[in-house]
């Protein structure tokens, strides 16, 4: 989505009548999974990944990747449905060859995203369905699409179990077609205080690209701090469990409910 389109969406939301209903704060961030809750009609949240650093090292070399300004705008459109608009603003990749020590640097913009989430067991979960389509702004033909089924359940001791299975039709690396990718995330979370929560997750994703099969399996720990009634700051650290995942990933961001 172009920056001008983002501005138009935000201005349109600001011009909407104040129809938002108050619900518990519900952000996608942080973590690997997706929550089943939806925003109340007229409510909106902007979520920003301020910075993410991925690091992977092997005999062939070292790969460091930074992502800045990962944006997601979510808008409640009915009692049990919301729409989402996303854009990864800027990525910077640095590769060092293990044999020659030569360093290659590349930069790019990421994918634009359009998604719809609908609660199928009530507006605030515990089960929802989400469908999305994403594309590269500079390669509109390289689109991907997928479906998620986020679910959650309350457990004894104030713990909450979350599960997010996902099936995608992902764009091939050579841009000539699409292939199936699938995976799931399971997580356990608990409030440490009224405005502070801790979560641990295990995620695995299989990508059957014709150019080469890959598996991204990782453990993630995240902390969400609701510093105000409408503002959350979050931190996440991942540890890779497979060759297709980074060895380490660190993320920081925030979510702001402005309607």
């Amino acid at each position: 989505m172009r920056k001008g389109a983002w501005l138009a969406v935000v201005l349109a939301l600001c011009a909407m009548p104040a129809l938002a209903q108050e619900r518990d704060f519900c952000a996608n961030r942080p973590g690997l999974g997706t929550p089943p809750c939806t925003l109340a009609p007229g409510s909106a949240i902007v979520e920003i990944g301020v910075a993410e650093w991925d690091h992977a090292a092997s005999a062939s070399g070292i790969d460091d990747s930074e992502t800045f300004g990962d944006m997601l705008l979510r808008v409640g459109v009915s009692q049990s449905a919301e729409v989402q608009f996303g854009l990864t603003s800027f990525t910077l990749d640095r590769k060092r060859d293990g044999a020659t020590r030569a360093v290659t640097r590349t930069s790019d913009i990421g994918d634009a995203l359009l998604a719809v989430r609908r609660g199928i067991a009530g507006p605030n979960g515990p089960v929802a369905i989400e469908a999305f389509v994403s594309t590269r702004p500079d390669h509109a033909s390289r689109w991907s699409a997928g479906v998620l089924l986020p679910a959650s359940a309350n457990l004894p001791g104030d713990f909450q179990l979350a599960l997010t299975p996902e099936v995608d039709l992902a764009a091939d690396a050579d841009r000539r077609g699409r292939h199936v990718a699938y995976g799931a995330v399971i997580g356990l979370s608990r409030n440490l205080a009224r405005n502070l929560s801790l979560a641990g997750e295990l995620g695995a994703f299989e990508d059957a690209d014709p150019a080469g099969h890959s598996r991204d399996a990782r453990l993630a720990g995240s902390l969400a701090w609701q510093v105000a009634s409408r503002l959350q700051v979050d931190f996440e650290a991942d540890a890779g469990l497979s060759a297709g995942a980074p060895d380490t990933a660190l993320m920081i961001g925030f979510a702001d409910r402005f309607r």
Side-chain angles (χ1 to χ4, degrees), residues 42-221:
S43 183
I45 286 181
V46 61
E47 305 187 22
I48 305 293
V50 176
E52 175 178 347
W53 171 65
D54 293 354
H55 172 78
S58 66
S60 61
I62 298 174
D63 189 352
D64 288 296
S65 178
E66 290 95 30
T67 302
F68 303 97
D70 193 357
M71 300 181 291
L72 181 68
L73 175 65
R74 300 167 53 209
V75 183
V77 294
S78 75
Q79 288 294 335
S80 300
E82 65 176 55
V83 294
Q84 305 175 9
F85 309 91
L87 179 65
T88 302
S89 294
F90 183 74
T91 59
L92 178 65
D93 193 66
R94 178 182 180 273
K95 297 182 186 293
R96 187 175 70 180
D97 188 275
T100 66
R101 301 296 180 180
V103 176
T104 303
R105 293 179 175 86
T106 58
S107 61
D108 203 353
I109 58 174
D111 291 347
L113 169 82
L114 173 64
V116 177
R117 182 185 303 164
R118 182 171 182 81
I120 56 179
N124 244 3
V127 183
I129 186 169
E130 179 172 316
F132 74 88
V133 61
S134 64
T135 186
R136 291 288 301 273
D138 55 342
H139 293 290
S141 62
R142 191 181 175 184
W143 58 268
S144 299
V147 177
L148 300 82
L149 194 69
S152 64
N154 294 324
L155 300 178
D158 293 327
F159 285 93
Q160 187 173 62
L161 178 69
L163 178 67
T164 310
E166 178 178 349
V167 178
D168 297 347
L169 190 62
D172 294 345
D174 62 8
R175 305 174 187 168
R176 295 181 180 178
R178 270 155 284 278
H179 61 275
V180 174
Y182 59 91
V185 177
I186 186 169
L188 196 64
S189 63
R190 190 181 190 279
N191 288 336
L192 302 179
R194 184 181 59 85
N195 62 345
L196 188 66
S197 64
L198 178 68
E201 295 172 295
L202 172 63
F205 208 84
E206 301 281 342
D207 191 319
D209 195 303
H213 180 277
S214 66
R215 175 181 298 160
D216 186 325
R218 62 179 76 186
L219 283 171

